[in-house]
Amino acid sequence: MTAQIIDGNALSKQLRTQVAARAQALKIRGITPGLAVVLVGDNPASQVYVRNKVKACEDSGLHSVMEKYESSMTESELLARVDALNNDPNIHGILVQLPLPSHINAQRVIEAISPSKDVDGFHIASAGALMTGMPGFWPCTPYGCMKMLESIGYNLRGKHAVVIGRSNIVGKPMALMLLQQNATVTICHSATPDLKAMTLQADVIVAAVGKRNVLTADMVKPGAVVLDVGMNRDNEGKLCGDVDFEGVKKVASHITPVPGGVGPMTITMLLVNTLEAAERASN
Ligand code: GUN
Protein backbone atom coordinates (compact mmCIF):
# COMPACT_ATOMS: atom_id res chain seq x y z
CA MET A 1 0.00 0.00 0.00
CA THR A 2 1.15 3.55 -0.68
CA ALA A 3 -0.58 6.22 1.32
CA GLN A 4 -2.59 8.96 -0.25
CA ILE A 5 -0.88 12.31 0.36
CA ILE A 6 -3.01 14.97 2.05
CA ASP A 7 -1.81 18.06 0.22
CA GLY A 8 -1.82 21.04 2.59
CA ASN A 9 -1.01 23.49 -0.19
CA ALA A 10 -3.94 22.39 -2.36
CA LEU A 11 -6.39 22.38 0.57
CA SER A 12 -5.09 25.79 1.68
CA LYS A 13 -5.68 27.17 -1.78
CA GLN A 14 -9.32 26.03 -1.69
CA LEU A 15 -9.91 27.40 1.80
CA ARG A 16 -8.14 30.69 1.06
CA THR A 17 -10.39 31.20 -1.98
CA GLN A 18 -13.38 30.90 0.39
CA VAL A 19 -11.72 33.33 2.83
CA ALA A 20 -11.17 35.84 0.02
CA ALA A 21 -14.83 35.61 -1.01
CA ARG A 22 -16.05 36.13 2.58
CA ALA A 23 -13.58 39.02 3.02
CA GLN A 24 -14.99 40.59 -0.14
CA ALA A 25 -18.54 40.27 1.21
CA LEU A 26 -17.48 42.10 4.38
CA LYS A 27 -15.73 44.79 2.35
CA ILE A 28 -18.97 45.53 0.53
CA ARG A 29 -20.38 46.32 3.97
CA GLY A 30 -17.45 48.66 4.63
CA ILE A 31 -15.42 46.29 6.83
CA THR A 32 -11.94 45.06 5.89
CA PRO A 33 -10.83 42.20 8.14
CA GLY A 34 -7.58 43.27 9.78
CA LEU A 35 -4.79 41.30 11.46
CA ALA A 36 -2.01 42.84 13.53
CA VAL A 37 1.17 40.79 13.79
CA VAL A 38 3.59 41.86 16.50
CA LEU A 39 7.21 40.72 16.40
CA VAL A 40 9.67 41.54 19.17
CA GLY A 41 13.37 40.87 18.57
CA ASP A 42 15.24 39.39 15.64
CA ASN A 43 14.66 35.61 15.82
CA PRO A 44 15.30 34.64 12.15
CA ALA A 45 12.67 31.86 12.07
CA SER A 46 10.06 34.20 13.56
CA GLN A 47 10.84 36.81 10.91
CA VAL A 48 10.13 34.28 8.15
CA TYR A 49 6.90 33.06 9.82
CA VAL A 50 5.67 36.61 10.32
CA ARG A 51 6.42 37.62 6.72
CA ASN A 52 4.51 34.56 5.48
CA LYS A 53 1.51 35.42 7.65
CA VAL A 54 1.41 39.04 6.45
CA LYS A 55 1.77 37.98 2.81
CA ALA A 56 -1.01 35.38 3.16
CA CYS A 57 -3.32 38.09 4.52
CA GLU A 58 -2.63 40.39 1.63
CA ASP A 59 -3.13 37.59 -0.92
CA SER A 60 -6.59 36.88 0.54
CA GLY A 61 -7.74 40.51 0.69
CA LEU A 62 -7.25 40.91 4.44
CA HIS A 63 -5.65 44.03 5.84
CA SER A 64 -2.56 43.36 7.90
CA VAL A 65 -0.23 45.48 9.94
CA MET A 66 3.13 44.27 11.03
CA GLU A 67 4.70 45.87 14.11
CA LYS A 68 8.38 45.13 14.64
CA TYR A 69 10.18 46.05 17.83
CA GLU A 70 13.71 45.77 19.16
CA SER A 71 14.41 42.95 21.60
CA SER A 72 15.00 45.64 24.25
CA MET A 73 11.26 46.45 24.29
CA THR A 74 9.93 46.17 27.84
CA GLU A 75 6.94 44.09 28.88
CA SER A 76 4.95 47.19 29.81
CA GLU A 77 5.65 48.75 26.41
CA LEU A 78 4.42 45.59 24.71
CA LEU A 79 1.33 45.45 26.95
CA ALA A 80 0.58 49.05 25.98
CA ARG A 81 0.76 48.12 22.29
CA VAL A 82 -1.57 45.15 22.83
CA ASP A 83 -4.00 47.45 24.65
CA ALA A 84 -3.95 49.92 21.75
CA LEU A 85 -4.63 47.11 19.26
CA ASN A 86 -7.46 45.77 21.46
CA ASN A 87 -9.08 49.20 21.10
CA ASP A 88 -8.39 49.65 17.36
CA PRO A 89 -11.66 49.03 15.43
CA ASN A 90 -9.74 48.29 12.21
CA ILE A 91 -7.94 45.36 13.84
CA HIS A 92 -9.96 42.17 14.32
CA GLY A 93 -7.14 39.76 15.11
CA ILE A 94 -3.94 40.18 17.14
CA LEU A 95 -1.01 37.80 16.94
CA VAL A 96 2.07 38.27 19.10
CA GLN A 97 4.73 36.05 17.60
CA LEU A 98 6.37 33.62 20.02
CA PRO A 99 8.93 33.12 21.41
CA LEU A 100 9.26 36.51 23.10
CA PRO A 101 12.56 37.72 24.61
CA SER A 102 13.11 36.08 28.00
CA HIS A 103 12.57 39.28 30.02
CA ILE A 104 8.93 39.38 28.82
CA ASN A 105 6.32 37.11 30.41
CA ALA A 106 4.67 35.61 27.31
CA GLN A 107 1.64 34.30 29.19
CA ARG A 108 0.94 37.74 30.64
CA VAL A 109 1.07 39.23 27.13
CA ILE A 110 -1.23 36.55 25.70
CA GLU A 111 -3.75 37.11 28.51
CA ALA A 112 -3.71 40.84 27.69
CA ILE A 113 -5.08 40.18 24.19
CA SER A 114 -8.84 40.58 24.03
CA PRO A 115 -10.35 37.07 23.67
CA SER A 116 -12.50 38.46 20.83
CA LYS A 117 -9.27 39.18 18.90
CA ASP A 118 -7.30 36.10 19.99
CA VAL A 119 -6.94 34.55 16.53
CA ASP A 120 -4.02 32.37 17.71
CA GLY A 121 -6.39 30.74 20.22
CA PHE A 122 -3.75 30.89 22.96
CA HIS A 123 -5.71 32.93 25.56
CA ILE A 124 -7.01 31.01 28.58
CA ALA A 125 -10.54 32.04 27.58
CA SER A 126 -10.01 30.41 24.16
CA ALA A 127 -8.57 27.27 25.76
CA GLY A 128 -11.55 27.13 28.14
CA ALA A 129 -14.00 27.59 25.27
CA LEU A 130 -12.42 24.69 23.38
CA MET A 131 -12.45 22.53 26.49
CA THR A 132 -16.14 23.14 27.15
CA GLY A 133 -17.33 23.18 23.54
CA MET A 134 -18.27 26.88 23.62
CA PRO A 135 -17.68 29.27 20.71
CA GLY A 136 -14.13 30.64 20.65
CA PHE A 137 -10.98 30.61 18.56
CA TRP A 138 -9.19 27.31 18.04
CA PRO A 139 -5.37 27.21 17.83
CA CYS A 140 -4.48 27.25 14.14
CA THR A 141 -2.27 24.15 13.85
CA PRO A 142 -4.64 21.56 15.37
CA TYR A 143 -7.57 23.32 13.68
CA GLY A 144 -5.73 22.84 10.37
CA CYS A 145 -5.25 19.16 11.18
CA MET A 146 -9.00 18.79 11.74
CA LYS A 147 -9.65 20.41 8.35
CA MET A 148 -7.25 17.92 6.75
CA LEU A 149 -9.20 15.00 8.26
CA GLU A 150 -12.44 16.60 7.08
CA SER A 151 -10.98 16.96 3.56
CA ILE A 152 -10.61 13.18 3.24
CA GLY A 153 -14.11 12.63 4.64
CA TYR A 154 -12.75 10.93 7.74
CA ASN A 155 -15.33 10.11 10.44
CA LEU A 156 -13.64 10.09 13.84
CA ARG A 157 -16.56 8.59 15.76
CA GLY A 158 -15.42 5.43 17.50
CA LYS A 159 -11.88 5.71 16.15
CA HIS A 160 -8.76 5.66 18.32
CA ALA A 161 -6.61 8.76 17.88
CA VAL A 162 -3.12 8.93 19.35
CA VAL A 163 -1.55 12.37 19.78
CA ILE A 164 2.20 12.41 20.36
CA GLY A 165 3.10 15.61 22.21
CA ARG A 166 1.29 17.58 24.92
CA SER A 167 2.06 21.23 24.17
CA ASN A 168 -0.53 23.91 24.90
CA ILE A 169 -0.33 25.03 21.26
CA VAL A 170 -0.76 21.67 19.51
CA GLY A 171 -0.97 18.44 21.52
CA LYS A 172 -3.55 19.36 24.16
CA PRO A 173 -5.93 21.32 21.90
CA MET A 174 -5.55 18.62 19.22
CA ALA A 175 -6.71 15.99 21.70
CA LEU A 176 -9.75 18.08 22.68
CA MET A 177 -10.76 18.61 19.04
CA LEU A 178 -10.50 14.89 18.28
CA LEU A 179 -12.50 14.13 21.42
CA GLN A 180 -15.18 16.60 20.37
CA GLN A 181 -15.56 14.54 17.18
CA ASN A 182 -16.12 11.40 19.28
CA ALA A 183 -12.71 9.78 18.89
CA THR A 184 -11.16 7.85 21.76
CA VAL A 185 -8.03 9.85 22.42
CA THR A 186 -4.67 8.93 23.91
CA ILE A 187 -2.02 11.58 24.55
CA CYS A 188 1.55 10.28 24.56
CA HIS A 189 4.58 12.25 25.68
CA SER A 190 8.20 11.96 26.83
CA ALA A 191 7.23 9.93 29.92
CA THR A 192 5.13 7.41 27.98
CA PRO A 193 6.95 4.08 28.56
CA ASP A 194 6.01 2.27 25.35
CA LEU A 195 5.04 4.68 22.58
CA LYS A 196 4.96 1.97 19.92
CA ALA A 197 2.42 -0.08 21.89
CA MET A 198 0.14 2.98 21.83
CA THR A 199 0.62 4.05 18.21
CA LEU A 200 0.08 0.48 16.94
CA GLN A 201 -3.49 0.73 18.28
CA ALA A 202 -4.20 4.03 16.54
CA ASP A 203 -6.50 4.69 13.60
CA VAL A 204 -5.23 8.29 13.52
CA ILE A 205 -1.81 9.47 14.68
CA VAL A 206 -0.81 13.10 15.12
CA ALA A 207 2.93 13.58 15.64
CA ALA A 208 3.70 16.92 17.31
CA VAL A 209 6.96 16.59 19.19
CA GLY A 210 9.55 18.51 17.16
CA LYS A 211 11.96 15.59 16.77
CA ARG A 212 12.84 13.58 13.66
CA ASN A 213 11.74 9.95 13.26
CA VAL A 214 9.50 9.91 16.32
CA LEU A 215 7.17 7.75 14.25
CA THR A 216 8.53 4.98 12.05
CA ALA A 217 6.77 2.39 9.87
CA ASP A 218 6.96 -0.40 12.48
CA MET A 219 4.90 1.79 14.85
CA VAL A 220 1.94 2.27 12.50
CA LYS A 221 -1.08 0.01 12.04
CA PRO A 222 -1.73 -0.66 8.32
CA GLY A 223 -4.30 1.82 7.01
CA ALA A 224 -3.86 4.42 9.75
CA VAL A 225 -4.05 8.14 8.97
CA VAL A 226 -0.87 10.02 9.89
CA LEU A 227 -0.63 13.78 10.39
CA ASP A 228 2.85 15.25 10.82
CA VAL A 229 3.05 18.55 12.69
CA GLY A 230 6.86 18.44 13.09
CA MET A 231 9.16 20.98 11.50
CA ASN A 232 12.77 19.84 11.70
CA ARG A 233 15.94 19.73 9.58
CA ASP A 234 17.56 16.49 8.43
CA ASN A 235 21.32 15.89 8.23
CA GLU A 236 21.47 17.67 4.86
CA GLY A 237 19.61 20.67 6.26
CA LYS A 238 16.40 19.79 4.40
CA LEU A 239 13.05 20.47 6.08
CA CYS A 240 11.45 17.34 7.54
CA GLY A 241 8.77 16.40 10.03
CA ASP A 242 8.52 14.08 13.04
CA VAL A 243 7.50 11.13 10.86
CA ASP A 244 9.75 8.90 8.78
CA PHE A 245 7.74 9.81 5.70
CA GLU A 246 9.31 7.33 3.24
CA GLY A 247 8.76 4.38 5.57
CA VAL A 248 5.36 5.30 7.00
CA LYS A 249 3.79 6.12 3.63
CA LYS A 250 4.11 2.40 2.76
CA VAL A 251 1.88 1.49 5.74
CA ALA A 252 -0.55 4.38 6.26
CA SER A 253 -3.70 5.03 4.21
CA HIS A 254 -3.18 8.81 4.29
CA ILE A 255 -0.20 10.94 5.30
CA THR A 256 0.72 14.62 5.36
CA PRO A 257 4.11 15.62 3.89
CA VAL A 258 6.62 18.10 5.31
CA PRO A 259 6.90 20.61 3.76
CA GLY A 260 3.51 21.17 2.12
CA GLY A 261 1.31 19.53 4.76
CA VAL A 262 0.23 20.98 8.08
CA GLY A 263 2.48 24.09 7.74
CA PRO A 264 0.44 25.95 5.13
CA MET A 265 -2.77 24.91 6.91
CA THR A 266 -1.64 26.72 10.08
CA ILE A 267 -1.48 30.02 8.21
CA THR A 268 -4.75 29.29 6.43
CA MET A 269 -6.56 28.77 9.73
CA LEU A 270 -5.11 32.05 11.00
CA LEU A 271 -6.82 33.74 8.04
CA VAL A 272 -10.05 31.85 8.79
CA ASN A 273 -9.93 32.92 12.46
CA THR A 274 -9.23 36.55 11.52
CA LEU A 275 -12.12 36.57 9.07
CA GLU A 276 -14.36 34.97 11.70
CA ALA A 277 -13.29 37.64 14.23
CA ALA A 278 -14.23 40.37 11.76
CA GLU A 279 -17.58 38.72 10.98
CA ARG A 280 -18.40 38.39 14.69
CA ALA A 281 -17.41 42.03 15.32
CA SER A 282 -19.70 43.14 12.49
CA ASN A 283 -22.76 41.32 13.83
N1 GUN B 1 5.54 30.81 16.98
C1 GUN B 1 5.54 29.65 16.29
N2 GUN B 1 4.29 29.35 15.88
C2 GUN B 1 3.49 30.34 16.33
C3 GUN B 1 2.10 30.59 16.22
O1 GUN B 1 1.33 29.84 15.64
N3 GUN B 1 1.66 31.73 16.80
C4 GUN B 1 2.48 32.58 17.45
N4 GUN B 1 1.95 33.68 18.00
N5 GUN B 1 3.78 32.38 17.58
C5 GUN B 1 4.28 31.25 17.01
Side-chain angles (χ1 to χ4, degrees), residues 49 53 95-98 120 122:
Y49 292 146
K53 288 169 186 175
L95 182 150
V96 178
Q97 186 68 22
L98 303 177
D120 251 336
F122 293 171

PDB file of all heavy atoms in Angstrom, residues 49 53 95-98 120 122, ligand 1:
ATOM      1  N   TYR A  49       8.297  33.403   9.539  1.00  0.00           N
ATOM      2  CA  TYR A  49       6.896  33.063   9.820  1.00  0.00           C
ATOM      3  C   TYR A  49       5.999  34.287   9.692  1.00  0.00           C
ATOM      4  O   TYR A  49       4.933  34.250   9.092  1.00  0.00           O
ATOM      5  CB  TYR A  49       6.741  32.493  11.244  1.00  0.00           C
ATOM      6  CG  TYR A  49       7.380  31.143  11.481  1.00  0.00           C
ATOM      7  CD1 TYR A  49       7.933  30.817  12.710  1.00  0.00           C
ATOM      8  CD2 TYR A  49       7.409  30.171  10.477  1.00  0.00           C
ATOM      9  CE1 TYR A  49       8.510  29.576  12.953  1.00  0.00           C
ATOM     10  CE2 TYR A  49       7.989  28.929  10.710  1.00  0.00           C
ATOM     11  CZ  TYR A  49       8.539  28.640  11.947  1.00  0.00           C
ATOM     12  OH  TYR A  49       9.111  27.419  12.179  1.00  0.00           O
ATOM     13  N   LYS A  53       2.866  35.141   7.164  1.00  0.00           N
ATOM     14  CA  LYS A  53       1.511  35.423   7.653  1.00  0.00           C
ATOM     15  C   LYS A  53       0.979  36.710   7.033  1.00  0.00           C
ATOM     16  O   LYS A  53      -0.170  36.769   6.585  1.00  0.00           O
ATOM     17  CB  LYS A  53       1.511  35.525   9.188  1.00  0.00           C
ATOM     18  CG  LYS A  53       1.703  34.174   9.871  1.00  0.00           C
ATOM     19  CD  LYS A  53       1.962  34.284  11.362  1.00  0.00           C
ATOM     20  CE  LYS A  53       2.294  32.911  11.950  1.00  0.00           C
ATOM     21  NZ  LYS A  53       2.670  32.929  13.368  1.00  0.00           N
ATOM     22  N   LEU A  95      -1.927  38.928  16.769  1.00  0.00           N
ATOM     23  CA  LEU A  95      -1.013  37.802  16.941  1.00  0.00           C
ATOM     24  C   LEU A  95       0.329  38.340  17.427  1.00  0.00           C
ATOM     25  O   LEU A  95       0.939  39.161  16.747  1.00  0.00           O
ATOM     26  CB  LEU A  95      -0.845  37.079  15.598  1.00  0.00           C
ATOM     27  CG  LEU A  95       0.039  35.832  15.571  1.00  0.00           C
ATOM     28  CD1 LEU A  95      -0.443  34.886  14.499  1.00  0.00           C
ATOM     29  CD2 LEU A  95       1.505  36.176  15.330  1.00  0.00           C
ATOM     30  N   VAL A  96       0.731  37.933  18.601  1.00  0.00           N
ATOM     31  CA  VAL A  96       2.067  38.273  19.100  1.00  0.00           C
ATOM     32  C   VAL A  96       2.932  37.047  18.859  1.00  0.00           C
ATOM     33  O   VAL A  96       2.686  35.970  19.428  1.00  0.00           O
ATOM     34  CB  VAL A  96       2.033  38.643  20.595  1.00  0.00           C
ATOM     35  CG1 VAL A  96       3.448  38.942  21.092  1.00  0.00           C
ATOM     36  CG2 VAL A  96       1.118  39.840  20.837  1.00  0.00           C
ATOM     37  N   GLN A  97       3.920  37.199  17.980  1.00  0.00           N
ATOM     38  CA  GLN A  97       4.735  36.046  17.602  1.00  0.00           C
ATOM     39  C   GLN A  97       5.566  35.553  18.786  1.00  0.00           C
ATOM     40  O   GLN A  97       6.185  36.343  19.503  1.00  0.00           O
ATOM     41  CB  GLN A  97       5.644  36.437  16.418  1.00  0.00           C
ATOM     42  CG  GLN A  97       6.449  35.302  15.830  1.00  0.00           C
ATOM     43  CD  GLN A  97       5.610  34.248  15.118  1.00  0.00           C
ATOM     44  OE1 GLN A  97       4.488  34.493  14.697  1.00  0.00           O
ATOM     45  NE2 GLN A  97       6.148  33.058  14.989  1.00  0.00           N
ATOM     46  N   LEU A  98       5.565  34.250  18.975  1.00  0.00           N
ATOM     47  CA  LEU A  98       6.369  33.619  20.024  1.00  0.00           C
ATOM     48  C   LEU A  98       7.566  32.920  19.378  1.00  0.00           C
ATOM     49  O   LEU A  98       7.467  32.513  18.225  1.00  0.00           O
ATOM     50  CB  LEU A  98       5.514  32.600  20.786  1.00  0.00           C
ATOM     51  CG  LEU A  98       4.239  33.159  21.427  1.00  0.00           C
ATOM     52  CD1 LEU A  98       3.445  32.039  22.075  1.00  0.00           C
ATOM     53  CD2 LEU A  98       4.546  34.260  22.428  1.00  0.00           C
ATOM     54  N   ASP A 120      -4.940  33.491  17.474  1.00  0.00           N
ATOM     55  CA  ASP A 120      -4.017  32.374  17.711  1.00  0.00           C
ATOM     56  C   ASP A 120      -4.683  31.288  18.561  1.00  0.00           C
ATOM     57  O   ASP A 120      -4.231  30.141  18.590  1.00  0.00           O
ATOM     58  CB  ASP A 120      -2.790  32.877  18.498  1.00  0.00           C
ATOM     59  CG  ASP A 120      -1.519  32.918  17.664  1.00  0.00           C
ATOM     60  OD1 ASP A 120      -1.433  32.172  16.670  1.00  0.00           O
ATOM     61  OD2 ASP A 120      -0.621  33.690  18.034  1.00  0.00           O
ATOM     62  N   PHE A 122      -4.647  31.228  21.851  1.00  0.00           N
ATOM     63  CA  PHE A 122      -3.748  30.892  22.960  1.00  0.00           C
ATOM     64  C   PHE A 122      -4.238  31.420  24.309  1.00  0.00           C
ATOM     65  O   PHE A 122      -3.700  31.064  25.354  1.00  0.00           O
ATOM     66  CB  PHE A 122      -2.336  31.458  22.716  1.00  0.00           C
ATOM     67  CG  PHE A 122      -1.593  30.827  21.557  1.00  0.00           C
ATOM     68  CD1 PHE A 122      -0.394  31.371  21.113  1.00  0.00           C
ATOM     69  CD2 PHE A 122      -2.076  29.690  20.915  1.00  0.00           C
ATOM     70  CE1 PHE A 122       0.311  30.803  20.058  1.00  0.00           C
ATOM     71  CE2 PHE A 122      -1.377  29.120  19.854  1.00  0.00           C
ATOM     72  CZ  PHE A 122      -0.190  29.680  19.427  1.00  0.00           C
TER      73      PHE A 122
HETATM   74  N1  GUN B   1       5.541  30.814  16.980  1.00  0.00           N
HETATM   75  C1  GUN B   1       5.542  29.647  16.294  1.00  0.00           C
HETATM   76  N2  GUN B   1       4.292  29.348  15.884  1.00  0.00           N
HETATM   77  C2  GUN B   1       3.493  30.338  16.330  1.00  0.00           C
HETATM   78  C3  GUN B   1       2.101  30.594  16.223  1.00  0.00           C
HETATM   79  O1  GUN B   1       1.325  29.835  15.643  1.00  0.00           O
HETATM   80  N3  GUN B   1       1.659  31.731  16.795  1.00  0.00           N
HETATM   81  C4  GUN B   1       2.485  32.584  17.454  1.00  0.00           C
HETATM   82  N4  GUN B   1       1.952  33.678  18.002  1.00  0.00           N
HETATM   83  N5  GUN B   1       3.779  32.382  17.584  1.00  0.00           N
HETATM   84  C5  GUN B   1       4.282  31.254  17.009  1.00  0.00           C
END
